[in-house]
Amino acid sequence: MIVDNRQKHDNPIRERLYEIIFEADTPGGKMFDVALLIAIVVSVIVVMLETTNNFGARYHDLLLAIEWILTIFFTVEYLLRLYCVLRPWKYATSFFGIVDLLAILPTYLSIFLAGSQSLLVIRVLRLIRVFRIFKLANYMRQGRIIMLAMRRSAPKIAVFILFVTLMVVIIGSIMYLVEGGVNEQFDSIPRSIYWAIVTLTTVGYGDISPVTDFGQFLAALVMMLGYSVIAVPTGIVTVEFSKGPKAASSGDQSHVNRACHSCGKEGHEYDANFCKFCGAHL
């Protein structure tokens, strides 16, 4: 039995809504996406202002009203997205589908759980759509090169982090033996390990410091060692990054503005006839 994947909208209203909501190449679609980005930015600013003592308390009612208006707008937009695609569940379980849902849930949860509306800052993730709207595909390709370099570097960095972990445990234990009986700040090995981490990473809070001569000498060595610790992972990623451009850019001709009518996912090849995620006809 041959299954025909060439699914199309049989409803012109759904087809038109799909073009406006999912396609950024049309005038209506671009206007909708720009308006959506403005609404996202406004909603994030509102959430931030609500947490301030003076402005948040003075204009609480106004900010709350704006928050609910935007939440209703995003809710309608999310439902329309599910209505437009041929396979709503595919879109609902996709990355953007989950982000869109998480962007509206905190406001409704705030009715039962006070303070949960602060989670609305997750809406900032929706600004990722700016790459599709303004056709910044080249930047997305460069981002893939960086991600590829990070993935290739992961095993080496994991070994390096394990080595650093052992190092701070040893340094912290030695510092506890040196300073423990003299300096009350080094009252335990875990606290001494905390000092070793802060010093080795060159953060230097200064809340704990050695007082003995040998302790200060050891601290100076750890500080000098910290510079080499910073350089190692940078060198690892840099080497992999130099290998990345050819491997990541070869054959990378995806058209980010092209969305599947069935699942709503993007990133298809220019000459693709079928969706690489769900198999539906493009």
Side-chain angles (χ1 to χ4, degrees):
M1 179 179 179
I2 299 176
V3 179
D4 185 8
N5 284 322
R6 292 178 295 178
Q7 304 180 56
K8 295 184 180 296
H9 289 300
D10 54 358
N11 188 327
I13 297 179
R14 289 181 66 188
E15 180 70 25
R16 179 57 179 164
L17 286 174
Y18 182 89
E19 292 179 358
I20 294 175
I21 296 176
F22 282 94
E23 301 293 343
D25 291 332
T26 62
K30 192 163 188 176
M31 289 179 60
F32 174 81
D33 285 338
V34 171
L36 179 61
L37 287 180
I38 294 174
I40 293 171
V41 172
V42 171
S43 66
V44 173
I45 292 175
V46 167
V47 173
M48 293 180 179
L49 290 177
E50 282 183 338
T51 60
T52 60
N53 293 328
N54 296 330
F55 194 91
R58 185 175 182 180
Y59 299 99
H60 176 266
D61 294 338
L62 175 62
L63 295 175
L64 183 63
I66 295 175
E67 178 184 314
W68 272 103
I69 291 173
L70 292 172
T71 298
I72 293 172
F73 169 75
F74 291 135
T75 303
V76 173
E77 178 235 346
Y78 177 72
L79 295 176
L80 287 177
R81 287 182 183 273
L82 295 178
Y83 172 74
C84 290
V85 295
L86 294 175
R87 298 180 184 178
W89 181 248
K90 285 284 186 179
Y91 175 75
T93 54
S94 66
F95 172 76
F96 279 114
I98 295 174
V99 170
D100 292 344
L101 179 61
L102 293 178
I104 61 178
L105 285 181
T107 303
Y108 296 109
L109 289 177
S110 66
I111 301 176
F112 310 99
L113 185 62
S116 59
Q117 65 270 21
S118 299
L119 297 174
L120 288 174
V121 292
I122 198 173
R123 287 175 180 172
V124 75
L125 290 177
R126 305 191 71 192
L127 293 177
I128 297 175
R129 297 181 188 273
V130 72
F131 290 99
R132 176 176 67 91
I133 296 169
F134 296 108
K135 302 180 181 179
L136 302 179
N138 183 57
Y139 292 95
M140 295 190 69
R141 282 194 290 271
Q142 300 304 319
R144 293 191 191 100
I145 294 174
I146 295 176
M147 293 302 298
L148 178 61
M150 294 296 293
R151 284 197 298 268
R152 288 176 173 176
S153 305
K156 298 176 183 178
I157 293 178
V159 174
F160 174 74
I161 291 177
L162 177 60
F163 174 74
V164 172
T165 301
L166 296 175
M167 188 186 303
V168 295
V169 171
I170 294 173
I171 293 173
S173 300
I174 294 175
M175 186 59 75
Y176 173 73
L177 294 176
V178 173
E179 296 281 331
V182 180
N183 192 343
E184 61 180 9
Q185 293 178 326
F186 293 86
D187 56 355
S188 65
I189 291 180
R191 190 165 177 81
S192 300
I193 292 175
Y194 160 77
W195 170 88
I197 294 173
V198 171
T199 305
L200 190 65
T201 55
T202 69
V203 175
Y205 288 132
D207 53 342
I208 303 177
S209 58
V211 295
T212 64
D213 293 337
F214 184 76
Q216 292 175 350
F217 173 74
L218 180 60
L221 293 179
V222 175
M223 294 174 193
M224 297 297 294
L225 185 62
Y227 288 101
S228 61
V229 168
I230 294 175
V232 171
T234 305
I236 294 174
V237 177
T238 301
V239 171
E240 295 298 336
F241 183 76
S242 64
K243 303 176 183 178
K246 291 183 179 179
S249 60
S250 58
D252 185 12
Q253 299 294 332
S254 58
H255 187 1
V256 294
N257 287 343
R258 192 178 186 190
C260 173
H261 282 66
S262 179
C263 64
K265 290 187 177 181
E266 304 166 348
H268 303 93
E269 307 298 328
Y270 281 101
D271 56 350
N273 294 320
F274 296 92
C275 176
K276 63 182 179 182
F277 300 104
C278 68
H281 189 270
L282 294 174

